[in-house]
Amino acid sequence: MSERLQPGDVAPAFTLPDADGREVSLSDHKGRKVIVYFYPAALTPGCTKQACDFTDNLELLAGAGYDVIGISPDQPEKLAKFRDKEHLKVTLLADPEKTVTESYAAYGEKKNYGKTYMGVIRSTIVVDEEGKVERALYNVRATGHVAKIIKDLGI
């Protein structure tokens, strides 16, 4: 399991398939700030709320120079269903092997109803134009998180 990222760290490079199976790399966004968020599963209530919040605020974020990428362990086909059903406009990437999720320390031990298990830790990493971590937020809540990011970034 990777150490949690800290501001100033170089964001781990990645290339993953999007909902349509096209490869998307972090380096494609060089020169722009990127909000990379990790969520456990498409088409679940909390993850839907979070993805819809990012979509609803995408224009505001893009206007401030931010691209938004959501990453989950789902297959591209499920991401396409999620995108189409919820009319999502954020880029959704598939990480079924969880290699990128692990490299961002967004996979690890979780507790739910007294049980401990391994899973995706809902996390948001803000990467600056140079590919360095600006902010690393772990164990975030699905609801209200986007509003908090916008406030914290001063947008």
Side-chain angles (χ1 to χ4, degrees):
M1 203 161 56
S2 299
E3 288 289 312
R4 288 193 166 178
L5 297 173
Q6 301 295 325
D9 289 350
V10 172
F14 63 78
T15 301
L16 292 170
D18 70 5
D20 299 312
R22 286 190 296 266
E23 301 274 295
V24 175
S25 300
L26 181 61
S27 60
D28 298 342
H29 299 268
K30 198 137 182 83
R32 286 187 58 82
K33 294 182 179 211
V34 186
I35 296 170
V36 182
Y37 78 96
F38 295 87
Y39 62 99
L43 300 166
T44 57
C47 297
T48 298
K49 173 82 180 106
Q50 188 178 20
C52 288
D53 277 357
F54 271 119
T55 293
D56 293 347
N57 289 285
L58 196 57
E59 234 173 83
L60 178 68
L61 290 164
Y66 290 89
D67 295 335
V68 179
I69 297 173
I71 299 177
S72 74
D74 299 301
Q75 293 293 339
E77 302 76 33
K78 187 173 179 189
L79 295 179
K81 262 188 218 153
F82 186 36
R83 176 195 62 205
D84 297 345
K85 179 176 187 263
E86 302 298 337
H87 310 289
L88 301 174
K89 297 202 174 15
V90 295
T91 301
L92 300 175
L93 301 182
D95 185 20
E97 306 294 314
K98 300 178 203 68
T99 47
V100 175
T101 306
E102 286 181 10
S103 72
Y104 276 76
Y107 184 82
E109 205 171 84
K110 295 173 68 165
K111 283 184 171 52
N112 200 9
Y113 301 114
K115 285 198 167 113
T116 302
Y117 61 97
M118 295 300 282
V120 175
I121 298 162
R122 194 179 301 277
S123 310
T124 301
I125 312 300
V126 179
V127 181
D128 70 13
E129 301 90 339
E130 304 300 312
K132 290 214 163 63
V133 174
E134 190 177 297
R135 291 167 194 265
L137 309 163
Y138 292 94
N139 294 309
V140 301
R141 297 206 173 280
T143 307
H145 177 59
V146 176
K148 184 180 177 346
I149 289 174
I150 290 168
K151 184 174 176 261
D152 289 354
L153 294 174
I155 299 171

